[in-house]
Amino acid sequence: MNYKERLAGIRSQMKEQGISAYIIPSADPHISEYLPDRYKCIYFASGFTGSAGTLVITADFAGLWTDARYFVQAEEQLAGSGFELVKLKVQQAPEYIQWLAERLPNGAVVAYDAKLISVGLAQLLEQSLAPLGITFATDRDYLDPIWQNRPALPTAPAFLVGKEITGKSTTSKLADLRAELKKFRAEYHLISSLDDMAWLFNMRGSDVKCNPVVLSFALISQEKAFLFIDVSKLNEEEKNQLHQAGVELKPYEAVERYLSELPEKASIFIDPKRNCYAMYKLLPATVRVIQETNPTTYSKAIKNEVEVENTRQTMVKDGIALTRFFKWLEENVASGGITEMSVADKVRGFREELEGFVGESFDTIAGYKAHGALPHYKATPESDVELKADGLFLLDSGGQYRTGTTDITRVVSLGNLTDDEKTDYTLVLKGMIDGATARFPKGTRGYQIDAITRKPLWDYARNYGHGTGHGVGFFLNVHEGPHVFNPTPTPVDIELGMITSVEPGIYRPERYGIRIENLVLTVKDEANEFGEFYTFEHLTVALIDTAPVKKELLEQRQIEWLNNYNQMVVDRVGPHLTADELAWLKEKAKAI
Amino acid sequence: MNYKERLAGIRSQMKEQGISAYIIPSADPHISEYLPDRYKCIYFASGFTGSAGTLVITADFAGLWTDARYFVQAEEQLAGSGFELVKLKVQQAPEYIQWLAERLPNGAVVAYDAKLISVGLAQLLEQSLAPLGITFATDRDYLDPIWQNRPALPTAPAFLVGKEITGKSTTSKLADLRAELKKFRAEYHLISSLDDMAWLFNMRGSDVKCNPVVLSFALISQEKAFLFIDVSKLNEEEKNQLHQAGVELKPYEAVERYLSELPEKASIFIDPKRNCYAMYKLLPATVRVIQETNPTTYSKAIKNEVEVENTRQTMVKDGIALTRFFKWLEENVASGGITEMSVADKVRGFREELEGFVGESFDTIAGYKAHGALPHYKATPESDVELKADGLFLLDSGGQYRTGTTDITRVVSLGNLTDDEKTDYTLVLKGMIDGATARFPKGTRGYQIDAITRKPLWDYARNYGHGTGHGVGFFLNVHEGPHVFNPTPTPVDIELGMITSVEPGIYRPERYGIRIENLVLTVKDEANEFGEFYTFEHLTVALIDTAPVKKELLEQRQIEWLNNYNQMVVDRVGPHLTADELAWLKEKAKAI
């Protein structure tokens, strides 16, 4: 079946059942960002492979609502599918709801599969559309009947991670969680989010590409902790460890029964953003539901001293790999034969040499010249191009190590840069420096750091259509909440111990793209009569190319920062390099 | 009765009626910010005169929750009242709700007067406390029975303002409003907010000190527009004008009957932030309520060309008055006899000389030395001090003119400044310049301009405990929404035509306070491949004292801005001054 046929198959079921609109979000029953193959529903229906989007199908229109990171990619991938791109003005905003409100008549029925819709989204749909006389059919899966050879759920093994890595035992994490639940007067707590459970149970796996998580659900109360998981993923020793922490293992599917059998007057804490509506619907009607962000989401965002020290060491390893890669690239690009795809392999190869490396933290983005202008570009055999000793090359890559997660973007000059390229590179660097060196009062949120990062670009009438930064997990998801650095008014404070990326960019479609990204750790700064101030410690340890810098655009403090930073890279990565590698690095790190 | 007796009187009614907690917000049935005397309930109960706060009374605790602008003032005014100050971490956040949630047992009853509680607040209280088993008695006024000689409602005359001032007729404004209501499928629309009605009906009055508004309610439908008002406030000619615009005048109290008699299946648009819960409760249970921000709130925030040009001219007038005042102050301070109170009178006197001046837009804040550290300081006979030719003097004042509203803060050196004073003054100036000269993309919100304004202060570990700026009305409220420049994540875009203040500050209690404030107008900047950019035009036209500036702390572009700005003041205000005044101004405006 091709995409048009699949779309027709969906529409015929809709017509049969009197459905005016069908919504397919990018989600699984865990409301994950990156999905197991079985739940790549949007890809199945439309051919779009981006990590964020929503399909909405009516009798006469089929659209993909997605954000600026994916506009170019979506136009290409949707061609001939029957779906059209609808450009979101605001990343992740459910703008299709307003679109439906303006078109659907009183009495229309909107359908979706409650396993893919978060509790919060189901409530928003209800609040927005029910007043207009619209009703919902929430248990409709129109894909399964037409999905031949649908992939099964992943079965990769899981394993437990020790306290020398995580810094805190499951017993201790459960005790803290239970204390939080008590404050909310919640007797039970359902967790569907895979990274929250990986953190809580100090458990990792490979059920989702690049995210070392394990398909599971958890139901916690003051006395009991149930982990619903394919128990064959764990060995006996690990099952014992969990039992000793008071965790009872039950089959993955059993969570549905446990939810539907909760006592009548029970109270249960559920994060509306990270649990699917299907789970919510299983609860007895008399159960009181407390809807708040998972306490584990806040706890795991604040890295403890063990995690921080492990991360610092992991960053040095990553720096070694990147140093070797960029040296290799510079020395070999002129000989020919290096393409974007081969670069991605080469970078992975250098990381694989390092102890503790597990796999990539996301698909490497290797963009030569114009391809750098596509923020989430992934080279394919069709798009792959050869790198030459000319122009800009952008590399956004990262690793999962046993001792931390990395994510770093560098842009290097391969030769012959234009004046525009240098101006834009320098402006992006100014933004990154200002964001990553900010001093700010306790209580500051990501939207404030985002504005400070953008200002150097706005001053020159430039901007970028993605956020400034995302939280990063510890040997966990490379994108982790609850905090985020973007213009969206997310009311989450930046706390000590949080790890975040700072990655501004300037993209000129069909010409070049620039993004410079460091990960930073929130640390204490001074405290005085005006309050407690925080700042950032740089975690990423990798050279920032000075060749594209236009010194006259930098302020003195920014020039000093750049020189000190590159010298710091030499100091920390140097001891691990060969004499030849070190000489190369020192030359590149020379002060401007 | 003194305050302790009043508190006891409230508590005895609570006890009688089995009430665990009583909430008294700072509001009237129009949910106004500045209140007519009849509704100064917080002042009546506790002695606190600030414009923002909430009293919460239980059997063993009586607290005033208010923000940083008022901490010092509250401590002073609450002494001996039986009420204690509870410091809000976030301005206007209803933090007392969490406080109640942590203390009240299951089954407790919380009481309030629904005429003083907004619809949104009533819903928030319900959502937050009902799950904990708390119920509400919403019709309890414990003040009226003990309020001897309670002031009556104000009866000042009202008048209509012509199109040469407002730029748009009531007929036209009603047509736009009706088109908006249609989009929301709302047949009726209730307006309680006095400034929205003043704008809609091109009507002004003096029912609230400093805000030229008229006590009224309005009920709008596609065919009818009812204005509920004490009709004796308008003359025959004006009543006719309104009739011609299709507006029917009804008695102020009649609004209650009209609401309770709405048709069963009616739909009504109500702004939950700006209508009281008592009005909401009058609606028949079957009526569908659409809760959104008043369309008029958005419309009136965007000043049309007539209002903008009128405002520019008003600003020149205000600049004349301030030039004369600061010249007079500098020339007379050494002779003695000038106090903060006499200064406030003198400033008003200079403004009164100008054509079109109606009254002050808020109580003048004249703070000499340490008094400048109290952001909302108002000199009283007890606190009044004499100014000397020494130290810093802060003046925050403004006027209502027939042709616009002004609000400006200047700090001047009266002599002998310390190094700290100069550093802090310069940092505040840097912040104001960066905020007021920002270039930003369409879609930017106030919390982003707020961060850009604060950065120069944060870089030196300074901060201020109030917002960066507020919207300003046109011959209307000096504080006007929907936009605001502060750290709170308010999702309102900064639109072309909006007028906002930019007023950072640094406050050193018991030493000095600095705040520098200009009003700015949002205007178009360039448009390019990155989108449409906006920037600000400076509306305020008054000298910025250069004596306290530490030039080495300013960037070159900031020095240029300051010199150009002061020269612009000379150019625009100069033609209206005497030769003597102009000479003084030119000397003060000399480039640094």
Side-chain angles (χ1 to χ4, degrees):
Chain A
M1 262 183 146
N2 63 32
Y3 295 114
K4 283 209 157 116
E5 288 166 342
R6 291 172 188 181
L7 179 54
I10 294 167
R11 279 181 164 142
S12 77
Q13 294 173 78
M14 286 170 64
K15 187 167 183 188
E16 226 173 277
Q17 299 177 20
I19 300 300
S20 299
Y22 188 56
I23 301 172
I24 307 173
S26 179
D28 61 2
H30 303 275
I31 314 299
S32 306
E33 178 183 11
Y34 295 114
L35 307 168
D37 290 344
R38 180 175 183 72
Y39 287 104
K40 287 186 175 162
C41 302
I42 291 188
Y43 175 54
F44 171 78
S46 72
F48 175 68
T49 62
S51 63
T54 306
L55 296 183
V56 178
I57 301 161
T58 61
D60 26 300
F61 185 80
L64 166 74
W65 273 251
T66 190
D67 65 73
R69 288 173 296 171
Y70 294 117
F71 289 166
V72 179
Q73 177 177 335
E75 296 276 21
E76 287 173 9
Q77 293 179 330
L78 293 177
S81 67
F83 284 88
E84 284 180 49
L85 166 64
V86 182
K87 298 180 174 181
L88 285 177
K89 294 180 196 64
V90 177
Q91 200 164 318
Q92 291 187 337
E95 295 169 15
Y96 56 87
I97 299 182
Q98 182 59 26
W99 185 89
L100 288 170
E102 287 166 6
R103 282 159 188 72
L104 297 182
N106 194 313
V109 184
V110 171
Y112 57 74
D113 177 357
K115 289 199 301 305
L116 306 183
I117 297 271
S118 71
V119 174
L121 179 54
Q123 288 170 166
L124 180 61
L125 283 163
E126 172 76 24
Q127 280 163 27
S128 309
L129 301 179
L132 305 174
I134 291 161
T135 55
F136 296 89
T138 65
D139 55 356
R140 309 295 159 93
D141 180 354
Y142 296 142
L143 301 185
D144 211 60
I146 59 173
W147 198 329
Q148 290 150 3
N149 303 317
R150 184 171 189 173
L153 286 176
T155 55
F159 54 94
L160 300 187
V161 190
K163 208 171 154 194
E164 72 286 0
I165 302 269
T166 65
K168 195 171 166 78
S169 67
T170 291
T171 303
S172 178
K173 291 178 178 181
L174 274 168
D176 287 354
L177 175 56
R178 283 168 168 144
E180 278 304 298
L181 296 174
K182 216 170 197 174
K183 282 193 207 168
F184 285 94
R185 303 191 207 180
E187 298 158 71
Y188 295 89
H189 176 37
L190 170 68
I191 307 179
S192 302
S193 34
L194 305 183
D195 57 346
D196 281 308
M197 281 178 288
W199 177 84
L200 181 60
F201 299 110
N202 288 330
M203 171 180 74
R204 301 293 190 273
S206 357
D207 280 345
V208 175
K209 190 171 176 225
C210 299
N211 294 178
V213 295
V214 187
L215 242 59
S216 42
F217 289 95
L219 185 63
I220 315 290
S221 66
Q222 292 297 325
E223 300 80 39
K224 300 261 189 186
F226 293 105
L227 175 56
F228 301 91
I229 189 173
D230 174 352
V231 295
S232 70
K233 291 178 175 177
L234 294 159
N235 65 32
E236 286 313 309
E237 159 65 30
E238 287 157 343
K239 290 186 209 175
N240 269 337
Q241 276 190 55
L242 286 168
H243 287 147
Q244 267 158 44
V247 182
E248 293 179 48
L249 304 176
K250 299 289 172 191
Y252 180 71
E253 305 76 20
V255 65
E256 300 197 359
R257 179 169 60 80
Y258 275 70
L259 288 176
S260 57
E261 290 176 2
L262 283 177
E264 219 180 71
K265 305 252 169 166
S267 51
I268 185 165
F269 184 123
I270 286 181
D271 185 332
K273 300 178 297 306
R274 308 203 70 192
N275 286 275
C276 71
Y277 189 49
M279 293 293 136
Y280 183 94
K281 291 202 301 174
L282 289 168
L283 301 168
T286 47
V287 165
R288 182 165 66 84
V289 183
I290 295 123
Q291 296 190 25
E292 299 283 349
T293 300
N294 284 335
T296 47
T297 294
Y298 286 113
S299 303
K300 79 184 197 297
I302 294 169
K303 276 52 182 180
N304 58 53
E305 259 315 301
V306 173
E307 290 173 310
V308 168
E309 192 43 45
N310 276 321
T311 300
R312 288 188 186 115
Q313 290 170 24
T314 303
M315 291 289 171
V316 173
K317 290 184 199 176
D318 217 53
I320 295 165
L322 287 156
T323 302
R324 290 175 176 158
F325 168 76
F326 281 111
K327 173 176 181 291
W328 168 86
L329 179 65
E330 189 176 277
E331 292 170 351
N332 290 279
V333 67
S335 348
I338 295 176
T339 72
E340 292 166 332
M341 286 183 76
S342 74
V343 151
D345 288 339
K346 196 73 184 174
V347 173
R348 182 172 50 247
F350 280 118
R351 283 195 166 101
E352 275 167 353
E353 291 174 0
L354 299 160
E355 196 255 319
F357 179 74
V358 173
E360 288 169 335
S361 52
F362 56 97
D363 286 336
T364 294
I365 297 161
Y368 179 56
K369 288 189 171 175
H371 284 168
L374 309 168
H376 267 218
Y377 173 71
K378 186 186 161 158
T380 61
E382 296 79 30
S383 70
D384 202 15
V385 292
E386 189 180 14
L387 276 63
K388 305 229 194 298
D390 182 79
L392 290 172
F393 171 63
L394 182 155
L395 181 71
D396 186 356
S397 67
Q400 295 291 2
Y401 297 75
R402 287 265 175 168
T403 49
T405 302
T406 67
D407 177 5
I408 170 178
T409 311
R410 289 291 184 262
V411 166
V412 294
S413 165
L414 297 181
N416 308 327
L417 296 188
T418 66
D419 189 66
D420 279 356
E421 284 168 331
K422 290 177 152 187
T423 297
D424 285 352
Y425 181 91
T426 308
L427 292 178
V428 171
L429 181 59
K430 282 166 67 97
M432 199 283 285
I433 292 173
D434 277 12
T437 60
R439 165 189 272 151
F440 50 94
K442 172 178 162 144
T444 295
R445 274 84 175 270
Y447 48 79
Q448 298 171 281
I449 302 302
D450 175 271
I452 285 170
T453 305
R454 287 181 196 269
K455 176 178 160 60
L457 283 74
W458 285 358
D459 284 349
Y460 286 78
R462 267 85 154 164
N463 198 13
Y464 43 100
H466 57 71
T468 291
H470 53 86
V472 179
F474 175 77
F475 183 27
L476 257 185
N477 290 3
V478 73
H479 288 174
E480 189 182 85
H483 64 300
V484 64
F485 292 177
N486 68 21
T488 304
T490 305
V492 174
D493 294 1
I494 303 167
E495 307 276 7
L496 298 171
M498 282 179 165
I499 294 177
T500 328
S501 67
V502 178
E503 52 182 305
I506 290 175
Y507 307 96
R508 307 266 189 187
E510 290 168 43
R511 295 173 60 195
Y512 57 85
I514 294 157
R515 181 166 65 259
I516 303 176
E517 172 185 19
N518 266 9
L519 298 197
V520 296
L521 172 75
T522 311
V523 296
K524 277 192 185 176
D525 193 84
E526 68 177 270
N528 59 27
E529 65 191 279
F530 297 102
E532 290 178 61
F533 286 84
Y534 293 167
T535 189
F536 295 125
E537 170 193 320
H538 291 275
L539 291 171
T540 303
V541 183
L543 184 87
I544 292 176
D545 194 8
T546 56
V549 169
K550 239 192 195 179
K551 200 172 169 186
E552 60 271 30
L553 288 180
L554 292 179
E555 291 171 40
Q556 188 52 36
R557 60 176 176 86
Q558 293 167 332
I559 293 168
E560 283 167 20
W561 182 89
L562 178 60
N563 291 334
N564 289 340
Y565 179 82
N566 279 339
Q567 184 54 47
M568 181 272 288
V569 173
V570 171
D571 294 342
R572 291 209 203 154
V573 173
H576 306 277
L577 301 175
T578 65
D580 187 41
E581 290 165 349
L582 180 56
W584 178 86
L585 181 62
K586 279 182 164 171
E587 181 59 33
K588 303 291 284 183
K590 264 204 197 135
I592 60 165
Chain B
M1 262 182 147
N2 64 31
Y3 295 115
K4 283 208 156 117
E5 288 166 342
R6 291 172 188 181
L7 179 53
I10 294 166
R11 278 181 164 142
S12 77
Q13 295 172 76
M14 286 169 64
K15 187 165 181 193
E16 228 173 278
Q17 299 177 19
I19 300 299
S20 299
Y22 188 55
I23 302 173
I24 306 173
S26 179
D28 61 3
H30 303 276
I31 314 298
S32 306
E33 179 184 10
Y34 296 115
L35 308 168
D37 291 343
R38 181 177 182 73
Y39 287 104
K40 287 186 174 160
C41 302
I42 291 188
Y43 174 53
F44 171 78
S46 72
F48 175 68
T49 62
S51 64
T54 306
L55 296 183
V56 178
I57 301 160
T58 61
D60 25 302
F61 185 80
L64 166 73
W65 272 251
T66 189
D67 65 75
R69 288 173 295 171
Y70 294 118
F71 289 166
V72 179
Q73 177 176 335
E75 296 277 20
E76 288 174 8
Q77 292 179 331
L78 293 178
S81 68
F83 284 88
E84 284 180 49
L85 166 63
V86 182
K87 297 180 175 183
L88 285 177
K89 295 180 197 61
V90 176
Q91 200 165 319
Q92 289 184 339
E95 295 168 15
Y96 56 88
I97 299 182
Q98 182 59 25
W99 185 89
L100 288 169
E102 287 165 5
R103 282 158 187 73
L104 296 181
N106 195 314
V109 185
V110 171
Y112 57 73
D113 178 356
K115 290 199 302 307
L116 306 183
I117 297 272
S118 72
V119 174
L121 181 54
Q123 289 170 162
L124 181 62
L125 283 162
E126 173 76 24
Q127 280 164 30
S128 309
L129 302 178
L132 305 174
I134 290 162
T135 55
F136 295 89
T138 65
D139 54 357
R140 308 297 159 92
D141 180 355
Y142 296 143
L143 302 184
D144 211 59
I146 60 174
W147 197 331
Q148 292 150 1
N149 304 315
R150 184 172 190 173
L153 285 177
T155 54
F159 55 94
L160 300 186
V161 189
K163 208 171 153 191
E164 72 287 359
I165 303 270
T166 66
K168 195 171 167 80
S169 67
T170 291
T171 304
S172 177
K173 291 178 178 181
L174 274 168
D176 287 354
L177 175 56
R178 284 167 168 144
E180 277 304 299
L181 296 175
K182 217 170 193 170
K183 282 193 206 167
F184 285 94
R185 305 191 205 179
E187 298 157 70
Y188 296 88
H189 176 38
L190 169 68
I191 307 178
S192 302
S193 33
L194 305 183
D195 58 345
D196 281 308
M197 282 178 288
W199 177 85
L200 181 60
F201 300 111
N202 288 329
M203 170 180 74
R204 301 292 190 274
S206 356
D207 280 345
V208 174
K209 190 174 176 221
C210 300
N211 293 179
V213 294
V214 187
L215 242 59
S216 42
F217 288 96
L219 185 62
I220 314 289
S221 66
Q222 294 297 326
E223 300 81 39
K224 301 258 188 188
F226 294 105
L227 176 57
F228 301 92
I229 188 174
D230 174 351
V231 295
S232 69
K233 291 178 176 177
L234 293 159
N235 65 33
E236 286 314 307
E237 159 65 31
E238 287 157 342
K239 288 186 208 174
N240 268 336
Q241 274 191 56
L242 287 167
H243 288 146
Q244 267 158 44
V247 182
E248 294 179 47
L249 304 175
K250 299 290 172 190
Y252 179 70
E253 306 73 21
V255 64
E256 301 197 0
R257 180 169 59 81
Y258 274 71
L259 288 176
S260 56
E261 289 177 3
L262 283 176
E264 220 181 69
K265 304 252 167 165
S267 52
I268 184 166
F269 185 123
I270 285 181
D271 186 333
K273 298 178 299 307
R274 307 203 71 192
N275 286 275
C276 71
Y277 189 48
M279 293 292 136
Y280 182 94
K281 291 202 302 172
L282 289 167
L283 300 168
T286 48
V287 166
R288 181 164 69 85
V289 183
I290 295 124
Q291 296 190 25
E292 300 283 348
T293 301
N294 284 336
T296 46
T297 294
Y298 286 113
S299 304
K300 79 184 194 298
I302 295 169
K303 276 53 183 179
N304 59 53
E305 260 314 302
V306 174
E307 291 172 310
V308 168
E309 192 44 43
N310 275 322
T311 300
R312 288 188 185 112
Q313 290 170 26
T314 302
M315 291 290 172
V316 172
K317 289 184 199 176
D318 217 52
I320 295 164
L322 287 156
T323 303
R324 289 174 177 159
F325 168 77
F326 281 110
K327 173 175 183 289
W328 168 86
L329 179 65
E330 188 176 277
E331 291 172 351
N332 290 280
V333 67
S335 348
I338 295 177
T339 71
E340 292 166 333
M341 287 183 76
S342 74
V343 151
D345 288 339
K346 195 73 184 173
V347 173
R348 181 171 49 247
F350 279 119
R351 282 195 166 100
E352 276 168 351
E353 292 173 359
L354 300 160
E355 196 255 319
F357 180 73
V358 173
E360 289 170 332
S361 52
F362 56 97
D363 287 337
T364 294
I365 297 161
Y368 180 55
K369 289 192 171 173
H371 285 169
L374 309 168
H376 267 218
Y377 173 71
K378 186 185 161 155
T380 62
E382 296 79 31
S383 70
D384 203 16
V385 292
E386 189 180 13
L387 275 63
K388 306 231 194 295
D390 182 77
L392 291 172
F393 171 64
L394 182 155
L395 181 71
D396 186 355
S397 68
Q400 295 291 5
Y401 297 75
R402 287 262 174 171
T403 50
T405 302
T406 68
D407 176 5
I408 170 177
T409 310
R410 290 290 183 261
V411 166
V412 294
S413 165
L414 297 181
N416 308 326
L417 296 188
T418 66
D419 189 66
D420 280 355
E421 285 168 329
K422 290 178 154 188
T423 297
D424 284 352
Y425 181 92
T426 308
L427 293 178
V428 170
L429 181 58
K430 283 166 68 96
M432 198 285 283
I433 293 174
D434 277 12
T437 60
R439 164 189 273 154
F440 50 94
K442 173 177 162 147
T444 295
R445 274 82 176 270
Y447 48 79
Q448 299 172 281
I449 302 302
D450 176 90
I452 286 170
T453 305
R454 287 181 196 269
K455 177 179 159 62
L457 282 74
W458 286 359
D459 284 348
Y460 285 78
R462 268 85 153 164
N463 198 14
Y464 43 99
H466 57 71
T468 291
H470 54 85
V472 180
F474 174 77
F475 183 26
L476 257 185
N477 290 3
V478 74
H479 288 174
E480 188 183 86
H483 64 299
V484 64
F485 293 177
N486 67 21
T488 304
T490 306
V492 174
D493 294 0
I494 303 167
E495 307 276 8
L496 297 170
M498 282 180 165
I499 294 176
T500 327
S501 66
V502 179
E503 51 182 306
I506 291 175
Y507 307 96
R508 307 266 188 187
E510 289 169 43
R511 295 172 62 195
Y512 57 84
I514 294 157
R515 182 165 65 259
I516 303 176
E517 172 185 18
N518 266 8
L519 298 197
V520 296
L521 172 74
T522 311
V523 295
K524 278 192 184 179
D525 192 83
E526 68 177 89
N528 60 26
E529 65 191 278
F530 298 101
E532 290 178 61
F533 286 84
Y534 294 168
T535 189
F536 296 125
E537 170 192 319
H538 292 274
L539 291 171
T540 303
V541 184
L543 185 87
I544 292 175
D545 194 9
T546 56
V549 170
K550 239 193 198 178
K551 199 172 171 186
E552 61 270 30
L553 288 179
L554 293 178
E555 290 171 42
Q556 187 51 36
R557 61 178 175 84
Q558 292 166 333
I559 293 168
E560 284 166 20
W561 182 89
L562 178 59
N563 292 333
N564 289 339
Y565 179 82
N566 278 340
Q567 185 54 47
M568 181 274 288
V569 174
V570 171
D571 293 344
R572 290 207 205 157
V573 173
H576 307 278
L577 302 175
T578 65
D580 187 42
E581 290 166 347
L582 179 57
W584 178 87
L585 181 61
K586 280 182 163 171
E587 181 59 34
K588 303 292 283 183
K590 265 206 196 131
I592 60 165

